[in-house]
Amino acid sequence: MKQTYINQLKDHIGEQVTLKGWLYNSRSSGKLVFPQLRDGTGIVQCVVFKGNVSEEVFEQAKSLGQESSLIVHGTVKEDDRSAIGVEIDVSDLEVVQNSTDYPITPKEHGTEFLMDNRHLWIRSKKQHAVLRVRHTIIKAVRDFFDEQDFILADTPIFTPAACEGTTTLFEVDYFGDEKAYLTQSGQLYNEATAAAFGKSYAFGPTFRAEKSKTRRHLTEFWMVEPEVAYATYEDMMDLGEAMILFIVERVLKDRREDLETLERDISVLENIKAPFPRVHYDEAVEILQEGNEKGALENKFEWGGDFGSPDETYLSAQFDQPIFVHHFPAAIKGFYFEIDPERPECALGIDLLAPEGYGEIIGGGERAMDLEYLEKQVEAHDLPKEDFQWYLDLRRYGSVPHSGYGMGIERCVAWMCGIEHVRETIPFPRMLYRLKP
Amino acid sequence: MKQTYINQLKDHIGEQVTLKGWLYNSRSSGKLVFPQLRDGTGIVQCVVFKGNVSEEVFEQAKSLGQESSLIVHGTVKEDDRSAIGVEIDVSDLEVVQNSTDYPITPKEHGTEFLMDNRHLWIRSKKQHAVLRVRHTIIKAVRDFFDEQDFILADTPIFTPAACEGTTTLFEVDYFGDEKAYLTQSGQLYNEATAAAFGKSYAFGPTFRAEKSKTRRHLTEFWMVEPEVAYATYEDMMDLGEAMILFIVERVLKDRREDLETLERDISVLENIKAPFPRVHYDEAVEILQEGNEKGALENKFEWGGDFGSPDETYLSAQFDQPIFVHHFPAAIKGFYFEIDPERPECALGIDLLAPEGYGEIIGGGERAMDLEYLEKQVEAHDLPKEDFQWYLDLRRYGSVPHSGYGMGIERCVAWMCGIEHVRETIPFPRMLYRLKP
């Protein structure tokens, strides 16, 4: 008999169906057992009445352990008390495997234990909800760019050179002949694909060998990186804003139940509206210095510095929307940034800071288009000249103004879900001391 | 003035527009110059009449080198001779950069030269077409699974252990403490996510350190891997068939022009229809032995062997559709395959062979569900027992029959495009001796 999925049960009221899944929870009372079945698309309560099934099936139903795999035959009945509007009146039940001593019980477990059992933990309601939100965010991001005629042009994972320094790179032995480095960003390659396709994006895993153990860091994380020819840093603020609004709308539409499972304050997401404030770095410095005077920030922030986590949190707390900061000091930005001709100490970089202390989720800006300037930058940053010739070719042959940005998916998921740590936003997180399972 | 993209020009006939792009080609004749402008979405012929522009602009238009970046202002005119139905009557032209000595000219170049200039080569008509087909295939694959309620659950790139032996793995030093290996397949992790979500898929880069230099091999390639709980190997043939039909239909609908650019025999794709023949390995052996007797195959294929490239080509040439082969000898398959209970020497594996000599594009099957059997297999295959405990947990706690497969994107793109070598199917290919640009 063909399987019906739990998220489709509402279309089968009154019908006899076969469900295949796992026991999420169960209770019994006299002649009744109430197994809760999950199948990955939802959870439904089943009712096993002693009079409706064989003695053997009834005894089995009573003795099943958590996460036992089972096939349930029964009739779909409307039920107003149920979160999904239906329950199953069981006529028969096949136990595929009676599972005993499932390690993750409804009681509290420590994080290390749960992370060691990540392959099982993802079956739990909250983890399940987070990863479904992740799915929807990724789908939304791709749809957003595809609908605007961007071409997906994935950039290589193995790169011969570093985009921004080598200290945070993972090194790979490439057939004994060469060293390869795992990409930190597809940006340089995106600049080539944007010159070919006008509008392009890459979306893949990126890697940082950072020895930091914070709630915002993974060694392996996914990033979407659009790049647009003939676009300015201001266009990127427009694009990033539109993308975020598109994501929020989609998540609210498709994942409201999951947000409720996560006890997310949904009103915060519902209030996100354009335009997002656009704050010049000079102004951000003033705000941070005021924060220090008021005693809200420990250190006095000086012009020229890069924002730390407390700075980002304080800045974004002054606004009720995500905020763009632009015109960062050139000295703290990558070699490839375009410079403001009227303020040569400023790079045309943009960051988007998420509200509620989630920090930077978008970073990007306008790329330098002048060959001579970039040749000097490659030298000034001590980069291996030879490895950057292909990149400089993009300025030799039809150079155009162009801009792009990157958004880290895991931080975006953490923000949407309102959860503390990025380790729960990816199926199998990789961190400083975490390579398993 | 806002930019209009070339693929939208047909909606702007009679209007004054601004185009931003690069000079693809040009010719002139007396008082007329005909620059062909590309902007990544298409190519349009522009007409610069001496009487319509300043003397300076006319002289500039005549002297532009290939791939010069320029902004064109003009009126959109209907033109039946044009492939896109319009041309541009130029009123003004701004040269962003006059490019000289662009390395890739319309004349023939050697492959190594083109690969060294991959960052520029992707601007050429054919490469452009291939990568647009790639984009559409990836989009189609994702839409196919998303529309059927699969959850995207990306599996880790860094893995502690090998799925199928360690000789073809890239090794990474993980903070000096541990060795990590770059994933060859997300399958084992997919089995965990399918138990959580019922239907899941992973879609990311995978890595093989194979020292083979064939037209079918990349060291870094993208793979989509669906996995379904309570599904059999036969269900996977249904799913794979439906997926291929979905891809073919989408490519024919959205990328017909690109296929024409590639001089692809489109009728071959139009003739692809279900059901795809399903050939038992026993039967495949017979066909190959007949081929040998007829003199079409050099070696006599013996039961128990794995197909080589000539075998795959010969087999698929006997049918006019892609074909599934199933029931491979267990001895040549991974440790995790389910075994046919009536033919224990056969694994419930499936491969899909593409027609026209493109070989295997799908590989998968049913996974063993019995804990004891798998424990023995881990031991028999000399795998590090400790590293597989999490995987065995999937059989300890709610084991179910389940199946999945993987499809390599680059081989699928090569097949759809009808091109010889996979190196042209990815923006920046990585091969045995190719790590740049």
Side-chain angles (χ1 to χ4, degrees):
Chain A
M1 203 176 171
K2 226 184 132 51
Q3 173 177 8
T4 303
Y5 283 96
I6 292 172
N7 65 348
Q8 298 158 352
L9 284 178
K10 267 201 273 189
D11 303 331
H12 296 274
I13 288 167
E15 293 174 28
Q16 174 80 12
V17 295
T18 297
L19 304 178
K20 300 179 178 180
W22 296 266
L23 187 73
Y24 194 71
N25 214 335
S26 190
R27 63 188 175 86
S28 63
S29 148
K31 293 182 176 173
L32 289 164
V33 188
F34 302 99
Q36 285 188 299
L37 189 79
R38 67 163 193 92
D39 72 354
T41 71
I43 298 175
V44 68
Q45 174 159 291
C46 304
V47 183
V48 186
F49 173 56
K50 201 175 176 179
N52 287 350
V53 296
S54 71
E55 182 76 20
E56 194 199 334
V57 163
F58 187 75
E59 288 308 314
Q60 266 192 327
K62 276 211 296 197
S63 69
L64 288 171
Q66 192 187 343
E67 284 301 315
S68 291
S69 40
L70 63 158
I71 299 174
V72 171
H73 306 275
T75 308
V76 187
K77 294 184 73 173
E78 219 162 353
D79 189 298
D80 291 342
R81 293 160 304 177
S82 152
I84 61 164
V86 296
E87 62 174 30
I88 302 293
D89 195 2
V90 177
S91 57
D92 198 8
L93 192 148
E94 303 166 49
V95 178
V96 181
Q97 187 192 39
N98 190 351
S99 163
T100 52
D101 302 321
Y102 184 68
I104 303 176
T105 56
K107 69 163 194 186
E108 289 268 319
H109 296 281
T111 302
E112 279 307 296
F113 177 82
L114 290 169
M115 291 293 285
D116 286 341
N117 286 287
R118 183 67 181 168
H119 54 295
L120 304 174
W121 191 24
I122 55 176
R123 301 181 186 184
S124 303
K125 247 186 190 169
K126 287 202 173 180
Q127 296 306 310
H128 209 263
V130 173
L131 294 177
R132 286 158 67 93
V133 171
R134 176 189 174 92
H135 165 96
T136 296
I137 289 173
I138 292 174
K139 175 79 174 157
V141 165
R142 290 183 178 271
D143 286 349
F144 176 79
F145 290 113
D146 292 341
E147 285 171 16
Q148 293 187 56
D149 287 341
F150 280 71
I151 292 290
L152 173 74
D154 285 311
T155 51
I157 308 297
F158 287 137
T159 59
C163 181
E164 307 184 50
T166 57
T167 54
T168 58
L169 286 173
F170 286 106
E171 195 180 281
V172 183
D173 174 53
Y174 201 75
F175 297 109
D177 308 330
E178 286 178 273
K179 293 279 169 220
Y181 300 95
L182 300 185
T183 183
Q184 287 197 314
S185 157
Q187 181 206 315
L188 304 189
Y189 292 97
N190 285 335
E191 295 184 49
T193 60
F197 297 104
K199 296 184 280 191
S200 61
Y201 72 107
F203 197 157
T206 49
F207 303 86
R208 293 210 186 158
E210 278 180 286
K211 285 212 162 182
S212 48
K213 215 183 156 216
T214 83
R215 63 188 183 85
R216 291 186 191 173
H217 284 89
L218 297 168
T219 55
E220 176 186 321
F221 59 101
W222 286 67
M223 189 145 71
V224 60
E225 298 179 272
E227 189 80 24
V228 185
Y230 286 102
T232 65
Y233 75 101
E234 284 170 312
D235 293 329
M236 289 306 100
M237 292 197 276
D238 292 343
L239 189 69
E241 181 179 277
M243 182 190 72
I244 294 291
L245 292 173
F246 191 92
I247 293 170
V248 170
E249 195 183 330
R250 186 73 74 85
V251 168
L252 286 172
K253 186 173 136 291
D254 292 351
R255 291 291 171 231
R256 192 168 283 267
E257 268 174 56
D258 291 312
L259 295 177
E260 281 163 5
T261 297
L262 295 166
E263 295 167 32
R264 176 67 167 125
D265 181 352
I266 292 175
S267 69
V268 174
L269 298 180
E270 283 172 333
N271 286 333
I272 291 173
K273 281 185 187 65
F276 298 168
R278 297 179 182 192
V279 181
H280 194 290
Y281 177 85
D282 292 348
E283 193 191 332
V285 171
E286 275 172 39
I287 295 171
L288 292 174
Q289 290 180 344
E290 276 168 31
N292 173 250
E293 278 159 31
K294 283 186 208 159
L297 281 169
E298 206 176 317
N299 299 312
K300 186 175 178 197
F301 191 88
E302 298 291 350
W303 200 102
D306 208 352
F307 302 144
S309 216
D311 304 319
E312 288 182 351
T313 302
Y314 182 79
L315 265 178
S316 64
Q318 310 313 306
F319 301 88
D320 59 352
Q321 296 293 339
I323 60 165
F324 282 107
V325 181
H326 57 86
H327 273 84
F328 287 88
I332 59 166
K333 285 288 173 184
F335 75 94
Y336 46 76
F337 273 89
E338 191 64 277
I339 293 304
D340 184 346
E342 286 166 24
R343 292 274 306 270
E345 74 279 18
C346 288
L348 299 180
I350 61 156
D351 275 7
L352 181 70
L353 306 183
E356 301 171 83
Y358 283 95
E360 181 206 323
I361 55 167
I362 285 179
E366 200 164 323
R367 326 302 189 183
M369 75 172 273
D370 184 66
L371 176 62
E372 231 174 283
Y373 173 75
L374 268 176
E375 281 175 334
K376 278 183 198 149
Q377 284 289 93
V378 165
E379 217 170 282
H381 284 74
D382 253 339
L383 296 167
K385 222 170 165 179
E386 205 27 53
D387 285 339
F388 285 87
Q389 287 312 313
W390 72 268
Y391 182 67
L392 296 173
D393 274 356
L394 306 176
R395 276 72 182 181
R396 285 189 187 102
Y397 307 113
S399 189
V400 299
H402 61 288
S403 303
Y405 64 78
M407 178 176 78
I409 293 303
E410 286 73 19
R411 288 190 185 180
C412 182
V413 176
W415 169 38
M416 292 290 150
C417 292
I419 55 176
E420 185 71 14
H421 201 298
V422 288
R423 68 182 159 223
E424 295 179 27
T425 63
I426 186 166
F428 296 94
R430 295 296 182 245
M431 295 175 290
L432 181 51
Y433 301 113
R434 169 64 59 190
L435 193 56
K436 294 178 183 182
Chain B
M1 205 176 169
K2 226 184 132 51
Q3 173 178 10
T4 303
Y5 283 97
I6 291 171
N7 66 347
Q8 297 159 351
L9 283 179
K10 268 202 272 191
D11 303 331
H12 296 274
I13 287 166
E15 292 174 30
Q16 174 78 11
V17 295
T18 298
L19 304 178
K20 300 178 179 180
W22 296 265
L23 187 73
Y24 193 70
N25 213 334
S26 190
R27 63 187 174 87
S28 63
S29 148
K31 294 182 175 174
L32 290 163
V33 188
F34 302 98
Q36 285 188 300
L37 189 79
R38 68 164 192 88
D39 72 354
T41 72
I43 297 175
V44 67
Q45 174 159 293
C46 303
V47 183
V48 187
F49 174 56
K50 200 174 176 178
N52 287 351
V53 295
S54 71
E55 181 75 19
E56 195 198 334
V57 163
F58 188 75
E59 288 308 313
Q60 267 192 326
K62 275 210 299 197
S63 68
L64 289 171
Q66 192 187 343
E67 284 300 317
S68 291
S69 40
L70 63 159
I71 299 175
V72 171
H73 306 275
T75 308
V76 186
K77 294 184 73 173
E78 219 163 354
D79 188 301
D80 291 343
R81 295 159 304 177
S82 152
I84 62 165
V86 295
E87 63 175 30
I88 302 293
D89 196 2
V90 176
S91 57
D92 198 9
L93 192 147
E94 302 165 49
V95 178
V96 181
Q97 187 193 40
N98 190 353
S99 163
T100 52
D101 302 320
Y102 185 68
I104 304 176
T105 56
K107 69 163 194 188
E108 290 267 321
H109 295 280
T111 303
E112 279 307 295
F113 177 82
L114 290 169
M115 292 292 285
D116 286 340
N117 286 286
R118 184 67 180 167
H119 54 295
L120 304 174
W121 192 24
I122 55 177
R123 302 181 186 183
S124 304
K125 246 185 190 170
K126 287 203 174 182
Q127 296 307 310
H128 209 262
V130 173
L131 294 177
R132 287 158 67 94
V133 172
R134 176 189 173 92
H135 164 96
T136 296
I137 289 172
I138 292 174
K139 174 79 173 158
V141 165
R142 291 184 177 270
D143 286 348
F144 176 79
F145 289 113
D146 292 341
E147 284 171 17
Q148 291 187 57
D149 286 341
F150 280 70
I151 292 290
L152 173 73
D154 285 311
T155 51
I157 307 297
F158 288 136
T159 60
C163 181
E164 307 183 51
T166 57
T167 54
T168 57
L169 285 174
F170 286 106
E171 196 181 282
V172 182
D173 174 52
Y174 201 74
F175 297 108
D177 309 330
E178 286 177 276
K179 294 281 169 218
Y181 301 95
L182 300 185
T183 183
Q184 288 196 314
S185 157
Q187 182 206 316
L188 303 190
Y189 293 97
N190 284 336
E191 294 184 49
T193 60
F197 297 104
K199 296 184 279 191
S200 61
Y201 71 107
F203 197 158
T206 49
F207 303 86
R208 291 207 187 161
E210 278 180 287
K211 285 213 162 181
S212 48
K213 214 184 158 214
T214 82
R215 64 188 183 85
R216 290 187 193 174
H217 284 89
L218 297 168
T219 54
E220 175 186 323
F221 60 102
W222 286 67
M223 189 144 71
V224 60
E225 297 179 274
E227 188 80 23
V228 185
Y230 286 103
T232 65
Y233 75 100
E234 283 170 311
D235 293 328
M236 289 306 101
M237 292 196 276
D238 293 343
L239 188 69
E241 181 178 278
M243 181 190 73
I244 295 291
L245 292 173
F246 191 92
I247 292 171
V248 169
E249 195 183 329
R250 185 73 73 87
V251 168
L252 287 172
K253 186 173 135 292
D254 293 350
R255 291 293 171 230
R256 192 167 285 266
E257 268 174 56
D258 291 311
L259 295 177
E260 282 164 5
T261 297
L262 295 166
E263 296 167 33
R264 177 67 167 125
D265 181 352
I266 292 175
S267 69
V268 174
L269 298 180
E270 283 172 334
N271 285 332
I272 291 173
K273 281 184 187 64
F276 298 167
R278 298 178 182 193
V279 181
H280 194 289
Y281 178 85
D282 292 349
E283 193 192 330
V285 172
E286 276 174 38
I287 294 171
L288 291 174
Q289 291 180 345
E290 277 169 31
N292 173 247
E293 278 158 31
K294 284 186 205 157
L297 281 170
E298 207 175 317
N299 300 310
K300 188 176 178 196
F301 190 88
E302 298 291 352
W303 201 101
D306 209 351
F307 302 145
S309 214
D311 303 319
E312 288 182 352
T313 302
Y314 182 80
L315 264 178
S316 64
Q318 311 312 305
F319 301 87
D320 59 354
Q321 296 292 339
I323 61 165
F324 283 107
V325 181
H326 56 87
H327 274 84
F328 288 88
I332 59 165
K333 286 286 174 185
F335 74 95
Y336 47 75
F337 274 89
E338 191 63 278
I339 294 304
D340 183 345
E342 287 167 25
R343 290 276 304 274
E345 74 279 19
C346 289
L348 299 180
I350 61 156
D351 275 6
L352 181 70
L353 307 181
E356 302 171 82
Y358 283 95
E360 182 207 324
I361 55 167
I362 285 178
E366 200 163 323
R367 327 301 190 185
M369 74 172 273
D370 185 66
L371 176 63
E372 232 174 281
Y373 172 76
L374 268 176
E375 281 175 334
K376 278 183 198 149
Q377 284 289 93
V378 166
E379 214 169 285
H381 283 74
D382 254 339
L383 295 167
K385 223 170 164 179
E386 206 26 54
D387 286 339
F388 285 86
Q389 286 313 312
W390 73 268
Y391 181 67
L392 296 172
D393 275 355
L394 306 175
R395 276 71 182 181
R396 286 189 187 100
Y397 308 112
S399 190
V400 300
H402 61 289
S403 302
Y405 64 77
M407 178 176 79
I409 293 303
E410 286 73 20
R411 287 188 186 181
C412 182
V413 176
W415 169 37
M416 291 291 148
C417 292
I419 55 176
E420 186 69 15
H421 201 298
V422 289
R423 68 182 159 223
E424 296 179 26
T425 63
I426 186 166
F428 296 94
R430 295 295 181 245
M431 296 175 290
L432 182 50
Y433 301 114
R434 169 65 59 190
L435 193 54
K436 293 180 184 180

